Amino acid sequence: MPGVVRIDFGREGLTLSIPPTVSAIIAQPQRDPPLAHPTESVRQALRSPLGSPPLQQVARGKRRAAVVVSDITRPVPYRTLLPPLLGELHDAGIEGRQIEIIIATGLHRPNTVAEIEEMLGTEIASRYSVRNHIARDEAQHEYLGRTSRGTPIWIDRGFLAADLRILTGLIEPHLMAGYSGGRKALCPGLAAVETVRHVHGAAMLDSFVGPGILAGNPFHEELLEIVTRVGVGFLCDVTIDRQRRLTGVFAGDVRDAHAAGVRELDRQVHVPLPQAAEVVLTSAGGYPLDRTFYQSIKGLVAALNVLQPGGTIVLFAELSEGIGSPEFIALLAAAGSPEAFRERLRDANFFQIDQWMVQHLCQVLARGRVVVVSPAPRPALSERFDIEWLASWEQASALLLARHGSRARWVILPEGPYTLATVEGVRLPLTLQAG
């Protein structure tokens, strides 16, 4: 029995005392050890890439480079990753004034000056041109036609103007794309609202999508088609451990390098369990992912595949920034009930920014009940959203014992969405998990 478990929460984590009578399994990823010489490992990956010439060779003769980085919601160790990458560009003859660092915000809010310095370090943040992508500004995007599924491709003009286009990011399980990283830095990272509207559409997210699923995943396939149409010169993705230290660097061709990183990470984070549980305790991933309830829903989705129908998920999230964007807050307040909101999504003319995360919350509630443990105040939600909002683990523990009894089966996901937990290895799409 686990007795005491440490779960990711904010920057410091939480220690939970598990009732001794319950049968609990900890689904803990078995990650590779951190790289002994991370800076040198990055440099070697750039010089011996997968499916591509070395970065210096790719960069030689180029006039303008765009380097795409993730926003503050992703714990990418850019202070380690960027210095050797930028050094390779300089050695190829590209000066600092010819390099623009673009933050792939997607539809997230712009990063503040303080956040940019936290992410990149003061020297890089002050030496280079750093810009937030603004998806809502149509003038910042260029139209490149439609995908075979009909998605209009609107991409950041500054990125397209560069003759050397570099994507970077973190590979982790992702509730829509199967795994993050690679193509996601471009779309939705640098896409306009109209493009995001299509790839995050209700029908797409009720199809064959889910954490750890790439084969047959239409969301993943759509992003691959977009990145191929746009053209990307180089990719540098990373994997990290629980302490946010580098465990792997995957550089080169956007498809080949990302696929290699996915294979390595999947081996580490996939935790097959013998059976589903009545109770699943899950983290929202700790800082920076658990700053908002919007992002923290990923922790609920991570628990979905190992929850018995009618069971309870307990989500631990600090929510230091509260609930999320104004659009997301308004959607929650107006949703009425999970069934009513999902019915509303059937209207092809209905669209509101951030509706996709409310849709995922409804998918979770179709399978079980939710308890949120957080110091943040509960959002405005209809009582028909079966969500308990509690301030302490002690309150939640008492509720669980009263609801499910002392002999219930529990599963604990200390790292939340950074874990791919399954029952006997089966990766169900979200629609089947919710069904």
Side-chain angles (χ1 to χ4, degrees), residues 183-241:
R183 66 280 187 256
K184 274 193 90 262
L186 177 68
C187 181
L190 299 185
V193 171
E194 187 63 19
T195 300
V196 179
R197 173 180 180 171
H198 280 73
V199 297
H200 283 55
M204 176 74 81
L205 302 188
D206 265 335
S207 63
F208 197 76
V209 304
I213 297 175
L214 292 181
N217 180 336
F219 185 90
H220 166 65
E221 292 168 353
E222 192 77 336
L223 301 194
L224 282 180
E225 182 175 347
I226 291 171
V227 81
T228 300
R229 291 274 293 275
V230 171
V232 170
F234 204 83
L235 172 74
C236 187
D237 276 348
V238 301
T239 56
I240 59 174
D241 67 6

Side-chain angles (χ1 to χ4, degrees), residues 353-393:
I353 289 173
D354 288 350
Q355 68 181 42
W356 36 89
M357 209 56 92
V358 181
Q359 182 177 358
H360 286 315
L361 179 60
C362 292
Q363 289 170 334
V364 171
L365 292 170
R367 188 170 185 87
R369 306 170 78 174
V370 169
V371 175
V372 177
V373 176
S374 176
R378 186 181 191 273
L381 270 173
S382 165
E383 292 183 358
R384 297 179 67 182
F385 274 75
D386 199 355
I387 299 176
E388 301 277 348
W389 203 278
L390 303 176
S392 72
W393 164 235

Side-chain angles (χ1 to χ4, degrees), residues 138-170:
E138 293 183 5
Q140 287 193 22
H141 301 82
E142 183 176 331
Y143 180 62
L144 300 177
R146 291 181 178 269
T147 67
S148 56
R149 288 184 173 86
T151 298
I153 306 173
W154 288 92
I155 299 296
D156 186 287
R157 285 185 182 276
F159 179 74
L160 295 176
D163 55 356
L164 175 57
R165 303 166 184 168
I166 300 172
L167 303 180
T168 70
L170 175 68

Side-chain angles (χ1 to χ4, degrees), residues 273-290:
L273 304 175
Q275 56 186 335
E278 293 98 322
V279 173
V280 182
L281 310 185
T282 183
S283 161
Y287 181 89
L289 204 60
D290 76 346

Side-chain angles (χ1 to χ4, degrees), residues 78-95:
Y78 279 119
R79 294 184 180 212
T80 301
L81 176 61
L82 284 183
L85 188 152
L86 294 170
E88 294 295 294
L89 299 185
H90 295 320
D91 290 345
I94 302 178
E95 300 178 2

